Amino acid sequence: MGRKERTLMSYTPEIKVMDCTLRDGGLVNNFFFDDEFVKDLYEANIRSGVDYMEFGYKASKELFDVKKFGKWKFCDDKDIRAVVGDNKTDMKISVMADVGRCDFKKDIINKKDSPIDLYRIATYINTIPAAVEMIEDCAKKGYETTVNIMAISKSNELDIDAALELLGQSSVGCIYLVDSYGSLYPEQVSRLSDKYLEVADKYGKKVGIHAHNNQQLAFANTIEALRRGVSYLDATVSSLGRGCGNCPSELLLGFLKNPKYRINPLLKFIEKHIVPMKESGVVWGYDVPYLLTGILNQHPKTAIQFTRDGRKDYNDFYLELLDNF
């Protein structure tokens, strides 16, 4: 494929780190982050050398009750601009738009009038044509675009190959390998990375990875994808994200050899915001229920409910999962 495999000591200036703390972390607290948290995270990411900061979702207010969610579920341009101003920094602003949950033709305005630089289109493999429509609309409006094919561990090879070809022929800039259920192992990530990269090389695209930490492998899977040639890397501060969370930003930046990245600002942010957040009772991170859904390649919603119910009967829960396997 003409790619040189990276080593763990490789200097890789083409790497882009995407902070997903507000978006994936918003699934933990329904996006009710206070303004100081968001502003401090924005500034910490800038000082840490992060390349993109994802503010949340561009969800339709006709589909979701605005009273039940914080503003980062909807990412109004005015709310982002209140934090970033004209964003005269090297870090770009990103928002995710889910297929079927975003009125993109109405809610996504032209780039010249927006503080947003990049739209990340999230899709399942059976809605790829709809994702391509969103990609083309965003590209026409002047945005960078990526696409996240979710729950790839549930898809068969033929469907993955067909989806990658369709996306390769689209205007999308980067195609993401997404381990939605935290079920993949580094060997599988290596093979899938090669598959994605082969199509990306053919069509002049980049490849990214978004990992979940059900089996304590989010970091390992991220650096394995990096080693194979994947260049867009998702992370969240202190692994703050749905259920078990994601690859921790401070762990990833501490590993990367690019001199532009620094972990000190993130450590200060953790001291000020993440520690009190945990002490207040907000729950996320690796735990046995998420391990079990990861092992069985199942959606974590049952583990999330198990945790909310305060259950500790892990063996009974495992047997319940097996009944639905």
Side-chain angles (χ1 to χ4, degrees):
M1 288 184 283
R3 283 181 289 107
K4 183 179 179 182
E5 185 175 298
R6 299 171 181 140
T7 70
L8 297 186
M9 291 300 294
S10 294
Y11 169 57
T12 49
E14 70 272 23
I15 293 303
K16 304 294 182 186
V17 173
M18 171 82 66
D19 171 69
C20 307
T21 307
L22 285 185
R23 202 272 308 165
D24 219 312
L27 298 170
V28 174
N29 69 349
N30 287 334
F31 302 90
F32 285 111
F33 297 102
D34 63 43
D35 292 345
E36 185 181 23
F37 182 103
V38 177
K39 182 68 173 178
D40 286 354
L41 178 61
Y42 170 71
E43 293 177 352
N45 279 326
I46 292 169
R47 292 195 298 271
S48 292
V50 168
D51 300 282
Y52 291 87
M53 178 174 168
E54 187 177 46
F55 269 70
Y57 285 100
K58 180 69 79 170
S60 170
K61 294 180 181 179
E62 295 181 5
L63 295 177
F64 296 93
D65 186 347
V66 295
K67 297 177 182 178
K68 294 182 178 179
F69 299 95
K71 56 191 172 185
W72 306 114
K73 175 77 170 180
F74 307 100
C75 282
D76 290 343
D77 288 63
K78 63 178 177 58
D79 291 328
I80 296 176
R81 202 176 289 281
V83 175
V84 309
D86 292 328
N87 189 36
K88 296 179 179 179
T89 76
D90 292 332
M91 184 176 74
K92 295 183 177 181
I93 305 304
S94 170
V95 166
M96 180 168 278
D98 273 355
V99 169
R101 298 180 181 181
C102 171
D103 189 351
F104 63 95
K105 292 182 179 179
K106 182 183 76 173
D107 292 340
I108 298 178
I109 63 176
N110 289 328
K111 168 67 187 87
K112 65 181 179 63
D113 302 315
S114 173
I116 299 166
D117 299 291
L118 166 68
Y119 269 98
R120 307 219 299 166
I121 309 305
T123 179
Y124 289 101
I125 205 152
N126 63 323
T127 55
I128 294 292
V132 170
E133 182 185 17
M134 291 177 68
I135 289 164
E136 299 305 335
D137 182 79
C138 290
K140 185 177 179 181
K141 290 173 178 174
Y143 295 98
E144 296 178 37
T145 58
T146 70
V147 61
N148 285 32
I149 312 175
M150 299 182 289
I152 202 69
S153 58
K154 288 286 191 180
S155 303
N156 65 52
E157 293 283 334
L158 289 176
D159 286 346
I160 295 172
D161 290 341
L164 291 175
E165 275 295 318
L166 281 172
L167 292 169
Q169 295 170 35
S170 77
S171 299
V172 78
C174 176
I175 305 170
Y176 264 86
L177 195 173
V178 184
D179 184 16
S180 300
Y181 300 161
S183 64
L184 297 177
Y185 298 98
E187 183 179 0
Q188 294 168 297
V189 167
S190 179
R191 184 177 59 81
L192 284 168
S193 295
D194 288 348
K195 178 187 286 291
Y196 279 54
L197 286 161
E198 184 174 6
V199 173
D201 289 348
K202 176 180 176 182
Y203 290 105
K205 313 295 186 185
K206 301 293 185 181
V207 176
I209 181 166
H210 182 86
H212 280 264
N213 205 36
N214 296 65
Q215 300 186 80
Q216 300 272 42
L217 289 172
F219 175 63
N221 284 337
T222 298
I223 63 173
E224 177 62 18
L226 165 67
R227 190 177 69 85
R228 300 306 300 170
V230 169
S231 53
Y232 278 58
L233 311 176
D234 283 12
T236 62
V237 177
S238 286
S239 195
L240 177 60
R242 183 197 65 190
C244 60
N246 308 91
C247 177
S249 303
E250 62 277 14
L251 187 57
L252 180 62
L253 295 191
F255 164 80
L256 292 172
K257 304 304 179 287
N258 304 41
K260 67 171 289 191
Y261 297 124
R262 302 171 59 242
I263 66 171
N264 307 75
L266 294 183
L267 298 178
K268 293 179 180 178
F269 178 84
I270 292 168
E271 291 173 22
K272 182 177 179 180
H273 290 285
I274 299 298
V275 172
M277 192 175 183
K278 286 185 175 180
E279 291 175 345
S280 74
V282 180
V283 177
W284 75 90
Y286 170 79
D287 202 356
V288 172
Y290 302 118
L291 163 69
L292 297 176
T293 58
I295 288 173
L296 296 176
N297 194 20
Q298 294 186 19
H299 195 287
K301 59 186 176 183
T302 52
I304 292 171
Q305 190 60 51
F306 179 97
T307 302
R308 286 175 178 167
D309 292 342
R311 291 175 59 183
K312 300 297 181 185
D313 52 330
Y314 299 130
N315 186 62
D316 287 346
F317 179 59
Y318 184 48
L319 295 176
E320 291 169 15
L321 293 175
L322 288 174
D323 286 340
N324 296 318
F325 191 57

